[in-house]
Amino acid sequence: MQEELAKNREKERLLYQQARLASMGEMIGNIAHQWRQPLSELGIHLYKLKKFYKIRQKESFDETYEDAKRVIKKMSQTIDDFRNFFNAQKPKETFLVSDVIDDTLTMLKGTLKNEQITVRVTAEEKVSIYGYKSELTQVLINLITNAKDAFVEKGCKDRYIDINAAKFDGQTISITVRDNAGGIDEEILEKIFEPYFTTKQPSLGTGLGLYMSKMIIENSMHGSIEVFNAGSGACFDIKVPIELKEEKRE
Ligand SMILES: Nc1ncnc2c1ncn2[C@@H]1O[C@H](COP(=O)(O)OP(=O)(O)OP(=O)(O)O)[C@@H](O)[C@H]1O
Ligand SMILES: [Mg+2]
């Protein structure tokens, strides 16, 4: 019994690592994207510095130097954003759902722009959750990445993802992520949360994204996640308790 539990835990840990590694590849692409522009800005600043130095324009030289420093600061901020997410050893905290949505969209900016996806967010102010911020971020990344994959696979023209966060009742927050990528076949709707269930080629998906998301929502955040087809796409509905503090639960 004890042994089996330990084995299961080890299996879950490995699954979790695998899923994190898979999303890391995606993230590295996003960092690269977010660096491309500041890098070319830096190139221009360097060119200007050389020019202003040659013609002894001290004031312009100093200004450009400050501009370049600002760009470098922005680039290092990008790294911090991503590192905070991946080295998430932070304790549980009370956080605003809208902050997590913003952070997630910032990290995925590259992908969303490349794939011409418009994300529309309606989040009630002051909707907060007690837990690990990075876990909810991970779930949102998985859902948004899945919608992106569906848009690409089906070659959709108009690509919208609607994210909504609102109080559902006095104790629960509802977060929905909905796309217009055509939805999920009814026959597989039941299976998509199973580990390794995927309709993608091995190089494009491991089938762990939704399994991980469900584990996070159910086991760590004590909530639920459901999926249904709505209108022209899939809708994932997450329900989590509001500010469920540890001491209250135990
Ligand atoms: N928004 C969506 N639209 C259409 N199909 C979806 C959507 N989200 C999930 N699916 C289906 O559910 C399957 C399982 O998703 P899941 O995120 O668990 O794995 P994956 O995306 O295939 O691989 P991974 O996330 O591990 O890279 C997908 O392969 C896809 O068929
Ligand atoms: Mg996925």
Side-chain angles (χ1 to χ4, degrees):
M1 184 66 190
Q2 204 74 352
E3 225 170 78
E4 217 161 273
L5 264 178
K7 236 193 235 163
N8 270 342
R9 219 170 291 139
E10 177 63 11
K11 216 167 96 189
E12 283 202 348
R13 202 182 59 80
L14 286 174
L15 278 176
Y16 191 73
Q17 261 180 5
Q18 207 176 326
R20 265 180 115 74
L21 277 179
S23 48
M24 207 177 276
E26 181 85 25
M27 286 296 126
I28 286 169
N30 273 283
I31 297 178
H33 182 95
Q34 285 185 33
W35 268 29
R36 211 158 284 147
Q37 202 206 333
L39 268 180
S40 78
E41 273 175 49
L42 271 184
I44 294 167
H45 288 326
L46 270 179
Y47 168 82
K48 281 187 180 168
L49 282 177
K50 194 175 165 191
K51 191 179 81 186
F52 293 136
Y53 176 78
K54 260 192 191 155
I55 58 173
R56 300 282 186 255
Q57 280 254 19
K58 186 173 180 321
E59 220 166 273
S60 306
F61 183 94
D62 288 346
E63 251 171 50
T64 308
Y65 175 76
E66 289 304 321
D67 285 345
K69 275 212 310 206
R70 263 194 293 276
V71 175
I72 291 173
K73 207 171 153 201
K74 204 167 81 187
M75 290 171 81
S76 101
Q77 180 62 43
T78 309
I79 296 190
D80 288 344
D81 290 348
F82 284 91
R83 204 171 35 200
N84 274 342
F85 170 64
F86 280 110
N87 287 347
Q89 295 294 344
K90 281 200 191 151
K92 285 192 173 184
E93 58 183 327
T94 300
F95 58 84
L96 287 174
V97 176
S98 56
D99 283 349
V100 173
I101 297 173
D102 288 348
D103 291 354
T104 308
L105 294 180
T106 302
M107 284 200 271
L108 292 177
K109 209 154 66 182
T111 305
L112 295 167
K113 196 169 168 218
N114 275 350
E115 302 299 344
Q116 302 185 320
I117 297 167
T118 307
V119 181
R120 300 178 292 203
V121 180
T122 44
E124 259 177 39
E125 267 178 62
K126 301 214 172 96
V127 175
S128 59
I129 291 177
Y130 179 75
Y132 297 109
K133 220 172 163 177
S134 63
E135 290 189 339
L136 186 59
T137 310
Q138 170 96 56
V139 173
L140 291 178
I141 288 175
N142 289 343
L143 297 182
I144 293 169
T145 306
N146 280 347
K148 182 265 291 173
D149 290 343
F151 285 133
V152 172
E153 194 192 304
K154 291 177 190 154
C156 301
K157 277 224 173 80
D158 297 315
R159 303 171 170 188
Y160 290 101
I161 298 175
D162 290 296
I163 304 177
N164 180 274
K167 280 195 181 133
F168 178 69
D169 58 32
Q171 285 110 47
T172 321
I173 285 167
S174 158
I175 305 167
T176 57
V177 179
R178 183 174 168 163
D179 62 59
N180 65 334
I184 304 168
D185 282 347
E186 294 292 332
E187 304 99 76
I188 68 164
L189 213 50
E190 299 275 293
K191 298 196 192 113
I192 61 171
F193 292 104
E194 288 171 13
Y196 299 111
F197 178 85
T198 181
T199 55
K200 294 165 197 172
Q201 286 171 17
S203 62
L204 296 176
T206 59
L208 287 174
L210 286 177
Y211 171 70
M212 284 310 310
S213 304
K214 194 178 165 79
M215 286 220 310
I216 289 172
I217 297 293
E218 288 181 355
N219 300 348
S220 177
M221 304 185 74
H222 305 276
S224 65
I225 177 166
E226 279 173 22
V227 61
F228 48 89
N229 286 314
S232 48
C235 181
F236 287 84
D237 183 15
I238 297 167
K239 296 235 165 53
V240 281
I242 295 174
E243 283 200 44
L244 186 65
K245 291 243 165 67
E246 216 82 313
E247 56 269 22
K248 280 189 205 157
R249 201 187 311 136
E250 281 159 5

